[in-house]
């Protein structure tokens, strides 16, 4: 049970929120990066990336964005959880005083044992999106699968 608790706290410490970032390529195009932790799903990462794209689209004065390309940046690895060492024992002692001198003896009996460490696999989903932003009338919404930034943000609430 103690190992499970330690593992859960370690995962939560590594997870946090989905981290997003954006880099403008020109006045209409950007790369959106989203990286999740060990407790996130790919769907949560994609949603966070689309939300970041919508925020950037509105910030730059546009209404719509088109995802022109996507890249899976999922990372996997192993986290090592060290074993635990436990000690227990019993100590006894006696002391005798003769004049100004005290003499004593002590004994200790005990044991120490260690539990083995273990490796825990982790998968941290991630994605990069390349987007292009547009305003009303700049693209034919019946022919181009564009995201309405305002609707994306409204669904995020």
């Amino acid at each position: 049970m103690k190992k499970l608790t330690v593992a859960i706290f370690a995962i939560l410490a590594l997870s946090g929120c989905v981290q997003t970032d954006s880099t403008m390529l020109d006045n209409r195009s950007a790369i959106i990066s989203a990286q999740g932790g060990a407790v996130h799903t790919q769907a949560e990462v994609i949603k966070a990336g689309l939300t970041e794209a919508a925020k950037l689209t509105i910030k730059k004065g546009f209404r719509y964005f088109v995802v022109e390309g996507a890249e899976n940046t999922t990372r996997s690895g192993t986290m090592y959880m060290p074993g635990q060492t436990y000690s227990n024992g019993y100590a006894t002692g006696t002391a005798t005083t003769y004049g100004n001198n005290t003499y004593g003896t002590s004994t200790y009996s005990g044991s120490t044992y260690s539990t083995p460490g273990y490796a825990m696999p982790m998968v941290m989903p991630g994605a990069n999106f390349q987007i292009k932003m547009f305003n009303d009338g700049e693209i034919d919404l019946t022919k181009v699968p564009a995201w309405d930034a305002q609707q994306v943000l409204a669904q995020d609430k």
Side-chain angles (χ1 to χ4, degrees):
M1 181 67 177
K2 193 171 189 176
K3 281 185 181 182
L4 178 61
T5 303
V6 170
I8 289 171
F9 282 121
I11 289 172
L12 291 175
L14 291 172
S15 63
C17 297
V18 174
Q19 300 296 312
T20 59
D21 188 31
S22 59
T23 304
M24 293 299 296
L25 300 175
D26 59 35
N27 65 340
R28 293 186 175 260
S29 300
I31 298 287
I32 308 296
S33 298
Q35 188 67 50
V39 297
H40 296 107
T41 65
Q42 189 71 21
E44 291 170 320
V45 169
I46 291 169
K47 181 179 179 186
L50 291 174
T51 300
E52 178 70 15
K55 288 177 183 177
L56 182 65
T57 298
I58 290 172
K59 179 181 174 183
K60 294 296 181 179
F62 296 99
R63 170 81 188 264
Y64 302 99
F65 67 93
V66 173
V67 177
E68 294 185 318
E71 174 188 19
N72 183 353
T73 60
T74 298
R75 298 180 302 190
S76 61
T78 304
M79 181 172 64
Y80 179 74
M81 301 300 295
Q84 303 271 336
T85 299
Y86 302 93
S87 296
N88 58 18
Y90 179 73
T92 60
T94 59
T96 306
T97 303
Y98 295 105
N100 291 334
N101 298 318
T102 301
Y103 301 94
T105 60
S106 65
T107 59
Y108 173 80
S109 65
S111 62
T112 299
Y113 63 96
S114 296
T115 60
Y118 61 97
M120 184 169 51
M122 292 187 330
V123 176
M124 294 175 282
N128 287 343
F129 305 94
Q130 183 171 343
I131 65 165
K132 191 162 192 172
M133 299 170 271
F134 301 93
N135 276 316
D136 286 320
E138 294 181 332
I139 57 171
D140 184 352
L141 296 174
T142 62
K143 295 181 181 178
V144 178
W147 294 84
D148 184 329
Q150 293 173 352
Q151 287 181 2
V152 170
L153 293 178
Q155 291 175 0
D156 195 42
K157 294 180 183 178

